[in-house]
């Protein structure tokens, strides 16, 4: 049986999500999950929502600003695939936002369609004993493909690998440990959003471009993204990042 390039990339993606240093950056891991989902699956964008320490659903990260806004819209409206995937702990198969999903999530469907998203799907971010969040998949124009059942199996494998990494050196069934790590990711998210704004204004680039520059700079210098973002948010922008 021959192996395709995509199959190799999927195997490498699972490996890269699971194997991290003991002091890995939780939010960087979630960023990598959305990057890999958009690279390996037929979707226009991906986002992650997680539970905070009070059991509330919170936006964590997204592949781009459009997805970020729609993640926040779901939380604001208290309806959408990411909330259902977390609350039910089950896969939400692709749903057209012009079909039955428009009745299930009427306000979210209207907002998503206006943003150019026509179908959504989600898989839970879970350990064997606890659902901690969801990976949300968004499809664009009607003519574009939506994830197949096999694609959703790949998405679930990526989400499971991410959850396994969060349980690094701990019992995967420990809800308290996982919530603590996810809370760290939520705290980091706020700092990174501030840093994106600072860099976007300084360089007059989009927020998506600002974020990509932050990540590239952090990786090139083997720094934690959160640590770099904290510096930038305080106005301590490295010279290399200050150049347009």
């Amino acid at each position: 049986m021959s192996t395709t390039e995509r199959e190799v990339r999927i195997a490498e993606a699972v490996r890269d999500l699971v194997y991290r240093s003991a002091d890995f950056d939780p939010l960087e891991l979630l960023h990598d999950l959305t990057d890999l989902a958009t690279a390996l699956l037929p979707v226009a964008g991906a986002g992650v929502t997680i539970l905070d320490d009070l059991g509330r659903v919170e936006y964590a990260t997204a592949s781009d600003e459009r997805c970020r806004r729609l993640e926040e819209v779901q939380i604001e409206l208290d309806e959408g695939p990411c909330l259902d995937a977390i609350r039910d702990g089950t896969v939400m198969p692709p749903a057209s936002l012009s079909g039955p999903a428009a009745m299930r999530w009427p306000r979210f469907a209207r907002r998503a369609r206006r943003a150019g998203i026509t179908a959504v799907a989600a898989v839970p971010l879970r350990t064997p004993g606890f659902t901690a969040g969801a990976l949300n998949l968004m499809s664009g124009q009607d003519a574009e493909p939506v994830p197949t059942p096999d694609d959703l199996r790949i998405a679930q494998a990526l989400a499971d690998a991410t959850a396994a990494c969060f349980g690094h050196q701990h019992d995967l069934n420990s809800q308290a440990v996982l919530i603590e790590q996810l809370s760290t990711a939520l705290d980091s998210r706020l700092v990174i959003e501030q840093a994106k704004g600072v860099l976007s204004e300084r360089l007059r680039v989009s927020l998506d471009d600002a974020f990509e520059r932050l990540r590239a700079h952090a990786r090139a210098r083997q720094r934690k993204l959160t640590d770099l973002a904290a510096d930038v948010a305080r106005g301590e922008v490295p010279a290399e990042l200050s150049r347009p």
Side-chain angles (χ1 to χ4, degrees):
M1 180 182 297
S2 60
T3 302
T4 66
E5 180 182 354
R6 184 176 185 235
E7 288 169 341
V8 172
R9 292 175 65 195
I10 291 167
E12 291 174 341
V14 170
R15 176 204 63 197
D16 292 345
L17 289 170
V18 170
Y19 291 108
R20 302 278 165 137
S21 63
D23 64 341
F24 73 94
D25 185 330
L27 191 59
E28 179 74 2
L29 174 62
L30 296 178
H31 288 317
D32 288 345
L33 173 59
T34 61
D35 278 354
L36 290 167
T38 54
L40 296 171
L41 302 172
V43 295
V48 175
T49 45
I50 57 179
L51 293 175
D52 67 11
D53 55 358
L54 297 177
R56 298 171 302 198
V57 179
E58 297 280 357
Y59 155 76
T61 189
S63 59
D64 56 75
E65 283 298 301
R66 177 173 64 172
C67 287
R68 178 190 67 78
R69 289 192 297 270
L70 290 176
E71 297 287 14
E72 293 180 335
V73 163
Q74 292 182 72
I75 295 168
E76 173 191 337
L77 300 177
D78 194 33
E79 64 175 44
C82 78
L83 278 77
D84 287 0
I86 294 175
R87 290 167 177 168
D88 298 340
T90 58
V91 173
M92 301 296 298
S96 169
L97 294 176
S98 298
M103 293 183 286
R104 182 173 185 172
W105 311 305
R107 294 174 297 166
F108 169 70
R110 286 194 296 271
R111 298 278 287 274
R113 288 197 303 268
R114 286 202 296 266
I117 296 299
T118 59
V120 292
V123 298
L125 180 68
R126 62 195 179 190
T127 68
F130 176 59
T131 298
L135 170 64
N136 308 293
L137 308 171
M138 302 187 185
S139 300
Q141 302 301 318
D142 289 320
E144 294 179 357
V146 297
T148 65
D150 283 344
D151 289 327
L152 290 185
R153 290 174 64 188
I154 294 168
Q156 188 64 72
L158 297 176
D160 289 347
T162 301
C165 184
F166 274 117
H168 186 61
Q169 297 182 343
H170 296 286
D171 179 359
L172 275 177
N173 290 297
S174 174
Q175 178 174 337
V177 169
L178 185 54
I179 287 293
E180 180 180 355
Q181 291 178 314
L182 293 176
S183 294
T184 299
L186 289 176
D187 292 340
S188 301
R189 175 205 64 187
L190 299 176
V191 174
I192 289 174
E193 292 297 331
Q194 291 172 349
K196 285 165 55 179
V198 169
L199 204 58
S200 174
E201 183 175 354
R202 178 172 294 204
L203 299 182
R204 299 186 182 280
V205 297
S206 70
L207 290 171
D208 285 335
D209 190 18
F211 180 58
E212 288 306 315
R213 294 184 187 215
L214 282 169
R215 291 193 75 189
H217 187 87
R219 288 186 170 182
R221 287 150 185 83
Q222 297 185 332
R223 291 194 65 189
K224 284 187 177 182
L225 177 62
T226 303
D227 291 343
L228 173 62
D231 288 345
V232 173
R234 289 193 298 267
E236 301 170 9
V237 183
E240 299 90 339
L241 268 178
S242 296
R243 302 188 188 111

